[in-house]
Amino acid sequence: MRYLNKCLVAMVAAMAVTTPVAAQEGGDRAVTLQPYIEVSQIVSAELSPGSETLTFTQLAAGVDTAIQGRNSGASVSVRYERNIGYGDDSVDTDTVSGIARGYLSVIPQSLTLQAGGLASRTRVDGSGAVSPNPLVSDDATSEIYSGYIGPDFRTRAGAFEIAGNARVGYNRFEANDAVFNSAGEQVDIFDDSVTYSGRVAVGTRPDDLLPIGVAVSAGGFQEDLSNLDQRVRDVYVRGDVTVPVSPTLAIVGGVGYEDVEISSRDAVRDADGNPVFGDDGRLITDSASDRLLAFDVDGLLWDVGVLWRPSSRTSLEARVGERYDSTTYYGTFTYVPSSRSSFAVQVYDGVSGFGGVLNNSLAQLSSDFTAQRNPLSGDFGGLVQSEDGVGLINPLGSIRSAAFRGRGVAASYQQRIGRLNAALGIGYDRRTFIAAEGTALAGIDGLRDESYYITGSLSREIGRSGVLAANAYANRFETGGDENGDLTAFGASAAFSRTIASRLSARAAVAVDYFDSEFTDEDFATATALLGLRYDF
């Protein structure tokens, strides 16, 4: 029962804490601080549809930090980049990108403060399709910002374990231009949102009081979107039981009550009754209009499944049931055969807006990671690597403003063999949008956007002072709202760096990127090369 009991404890805590962080058992505080500056010369040649060649200078400054102590830990990767072009059609951009995740134990083993943040550059196509890997020479880019903070707590009262969390988050998307679909209709894209969530659970393990495990939990989630004053609210209370079948297998099940509401106001209308867009490309909310329900479900929720842990290296939880007034599936599988290898799969289902997906992805990351960046642009493509495995920021997919039900599956794999280090993320994401009748978004109610994606990295140390690294990605976006709105994007890059003096290294990189946009009926392809120097302080 040893492995199963450990897993049951984790399950009770997971009902209340999305990302528990275990403090180190001992040892001194480990701090890695790596500030740097870079200067590079970049040549980018357009292969399709034209043949323009751009040359520009890239200046960058950043810091990669990892802090791991007995009662705190954090990883931060932040970079500022300035591209200076030449000529009338030159590249001239300023970009800040980064990702951070950390925790601080206020009361060791009992109360922990969690926080995370993201700043990322992205490219928006027609119908709101988003790629996290914009062309290095593309001025038409947008910025995504996300962050959250909140406490986790855990304690015991006799045979009962009590755990919970609370957090608040903020998310923003800054677009340079309005977005139009192939029919010439303007698409309302996400602006900003505030999220709130909280959970608490009380439970016992089998044999503490009863031969089965019992837990009671309650929680809620709310996202307030600025677009048409949308509100996503989901509250629930439930009870769960865990019935051991063998030392490594248990049957789990739960039943409870949920109340889910999605509502919004309408847009300001002109004299002809058409919705009005503002200068920022978003619909102008009519704050005097009534709040209209788009989704309203309250009643029974339930699920059943299995919990299997044959060893400390392998864990599976899979459930099927009813939620949101329909069938739901979710679960996780992890396999960690050694400290150098890991594999994980997650199946998910939930309702939120665009910001809720970002906040949840950040909260699931480890606090000790290395961010994988494009070696030419410095962009963060959503992949991080840590001893806990590969972390993925949920694929951006669609930037539409409406709330949605998101379902999908994500898998990750990492392997270290000597000096070789590899990481891979792959998955599928489907968003079914929900909008109220009589509002400006009513036309996309029930519309489905789907994303398929794969991203990976490979690096190897060469000798004592060289590093060879490669990155690749492929994304496929399909929308039911525009027959010409699909997008395919893929690319690959390779970089080599070598120390030439104390703290000074030379860098060389090449990349090819390709976008097949049915919206423009044109293919965009570029080849880019970089030569530069980096100084690590």
Side-chain angles (χ1 to χ4, degrees), residues 488-525:
T488 300
F490 59 84
S493 62
F496 178 75
S497 65
R498 185 178 183 87
T499 302
I500 57 177
S502 177
R503 300 186 179 182
L504 181 66
S505 58
R507 304 169 58 242
V510 293
V512 175
D513 295 277
Y514 174 83
F515 290 86
D516 178 9
S517 172
E518 296 184 19
F519 171 71
T520 60
D521 198 28
E522 288 183 323
D523 298 342
F524 299 89

Side-chain angles (χ1 to χ4, degrees), residues 11-16 153 161-165 199-203 215-218:
M11 184 189 70
V12 171
M15 295 177 188
F153 66 89
E161 299 203 18
I162 305 170
N165 73 3
R199 298 181 183 183
V200 63
V202 180
V216 177
S217 61

Side-chain angles (χ1 to χ4, degrees), residues 163-179:
N165 73 3
R167 67 175 183 248
V168 59
Y170 177 75
N171 311 274
R172 182 172 181 82
F173 180 74
E174 294 186 353
N176 291 336
D177 302 301
V179 176

